[in-house]
Amino acid sequence: MSEHPTIHGEVEAGFGPVADAFRRNFSRHGEIGAAVAIYAGERPVVDLWAGYRDRERVVSWERDTIVPVFSSTKGMAAFALATAVSQGLLDYAQPVAKYWPEFAAQGKDAITVRQLIDHQAGLSGLDRPVRAAQVADLDGLAEILAVQKPAWRPGTRHGYHALTLGLYQGELLRRVDPQARTIGQFFAEELAAPLGLDFFIGLPTEQSLDRVAVLSATKGLDILRYERDIPLRIGAEVYTKRGLSYAALTNPHFGAPARATRRDFLELGVASHGGVGSARALASIYGAAAGRTVALPIDDAVLDRLAAADTADDVPADDLVLHTKSRYHLGFRKSRGAFRFGSDKRAYGTTGLGGSFGFADPSTGFGFGYVMNRLGMAVLDDVRSRNLREALLRCV
């Protein structure tokens, strides 16, 4: 069904192609409700929203609508760790076991913080089934995580730690923070508050679920209409319940993605995929990083490292979990293979299940954020996000 909704918001002169692409996402690519924002440093140059926040297309998407963004949360967690590095609490080059001694079990004593957050640790899955209630028990969860055996020799390959990364990041940050805060609390106080971000890793009880858009899975004929990059090999592993993809994507079990607009899930605050927020929040923090604004509590030396051009020297580009070429860098993604974003190799960000995406482009000073409630099926590069990013490049 083609839609031609009213587009709300503002676009600075010169950024009309982004508004045009946003409009076409509704008329040609099955958008239900969505928002896109672009910041030049701390200045918004695009801030648009349109459509509906429910599957029935009855309740309008509002300016303050927020939505689960799944693995786009990983970028927020990476910013939290970068803040801890800036504060001298953490060092990317040091072994994780320096901060978390129990982590050294099963031959993990030499795994560095960087290897862990760059998906090189071989900890993409868990050997024992873990339920959501166990994820909420941080002390008990730490014991499970510490004794996990790597699935490959750490530092030699990488494979997407889809669900487990945020669990390890959360415990690591809890260990080094003098206040022993959760990663969600740390993010809220150190980043969201000073930057004014409408983004939560752990939805507070005072935030109404009425603000949160309801997600919609792509089904039936809509798959043929709107989807091209369907991950058949990953789907086969999940269907047969074997392989690294199956282990990485199904344990812990949090329920169907389209049902993520649930308070019990959003309150958990899992840093790998449990964030909820707005396109404006994503663009704002990435814009602050790209433009190095004073409100961002990350020093220039760390921002230099985040923006370092990808040399692809560390490990082969083949992702053992996603079965595609990818590149991870200090908790973020870099452009690689068919998945390109930003103006050059200095850009960094993360994309989420279904299509959400946020990234920083240090060479232009732009931060980008896109969120939506129709869940696409591409592994990385959803066509709607790609349309918006390509439009932005025409404006630079």
Side-chain angles (χ1 to χ4, degrees), residues 38-61:
I38 298 168
Y39 274 58
E42 61 185 12
R43 186 180 90 254
V45 296
V46 174
D47 185 6
L48 299 173
W49 64 94
Y52 304 93
R53 64 176 190 262
D54 64 330
R55 302 184 187 99
E56 294 75 24
R57 293 177 168 85
V58 173
V59 184
S60 296
W61 191 291

Side-chain angles (χ1 to χ4, degrees), residues 117-347:
I117 64 177
D118 282 356
H119 306 260
Q120 297 178 17
L123 301 172
S124 55
L126 298 171
D127 292 336
R128 57 191 287 188
V130 175
R131 299 189 178 277
Q134 293 171 284
V135 173
D137 175 13
L138 297 184
D139 291 335
L141 178 65
E143 295 178 3
I144 295 172
L145 298 176
V147 299
Q148 177 62 41
K149 183 179 180 180
W152 62 82
R153 186 157 60 89
T156 63
R157 300 296 300 270
H158 69 217
Y160 193 44
H161 291 37
L163 304 180
T164 58
L165 180 63
L167 307 181
Y168 282 102
Q169 287 173 312
E171 182 59 24
L172 178 59
L173 189 53
R174 194 166 71 113
R175 296 275 177 146
V176 302
D177 179 40
Q179 300 176 54
R181 287 172 287 184
T182 67
I183 196 167
Q185 292 167 336
F186 186 95
F187 178 85
E189 295 171 12
E190 303 292 336
L191 288 160
L195 291 170
L197 304 178
D198 197 9
F199 195 99
F200 309 94
I201 306 176
L203 188 69
T205 56
E206 64 269 18
Q207 291 290 328
S208 172
L209 281 181
D210 290 340
R211 297 187 59 208
V212 184
V214 176
L215 301 172
S216 179
T218 301
K219 298 179 180 179
L221 291 177
D222 283 346
I223 295 175
L224 301 178
R225 288 185 183 125
Y226 306 127
E227 301 300 326
R228 295 294 181 268
D229 180 23
I230 300 174
L232 296 179
R233 185 171 175 183
I234 294 175
E237 285 196 22
V238 172
Y239 179 77
T240 59
K241 298 183 178 181
R242 59 188 302 176
L244 290 175
S245 297
Y246 172 71
L249 298 172
T250 61
N251 185 30
H253 180 65
F254 295 99
R259 297 187 60 246
T261 307
R262 311 187 319 268
R263 187 167 291 279
D264 65 313
F265 171 73
L266 296 176
E267 285 184 347
L268 275 178
V270 181
S272 52
H273 65 293
V276 57
S278 65
R280 194 176 302 110
L282 292 175
S284 179
I285 190 169
Y286 280 112
R292 305 200 176 196
T293 62
V294 295
L296 187 72
I298 301 175
D299 63 39
D300 283 345
V302 175
L303 290 173
D304 286 342
R305 296 191 66 180
L306 299 184
D310 172 34
T311 61
D313 289 331
D314 292 332
V315 298
D318 297 313
D319 191 307
L320 296 176
V321 171
L322 295 183
H323 304 299
T324 187
K325 293 188 182 300
S326 59
R327 182 60 58 190
Y328 304 102
H329 181 72
L330 301 179
F332 296 95
R333 287 188 178 277
K334 291 282 188 176
S335 292
R336 185 68 180 175
F339 179 46
R340 301 286 178 177
F341 60 91
S343 60
D344 58 27
K345 292 184 178 181
R346 300 181 69 224

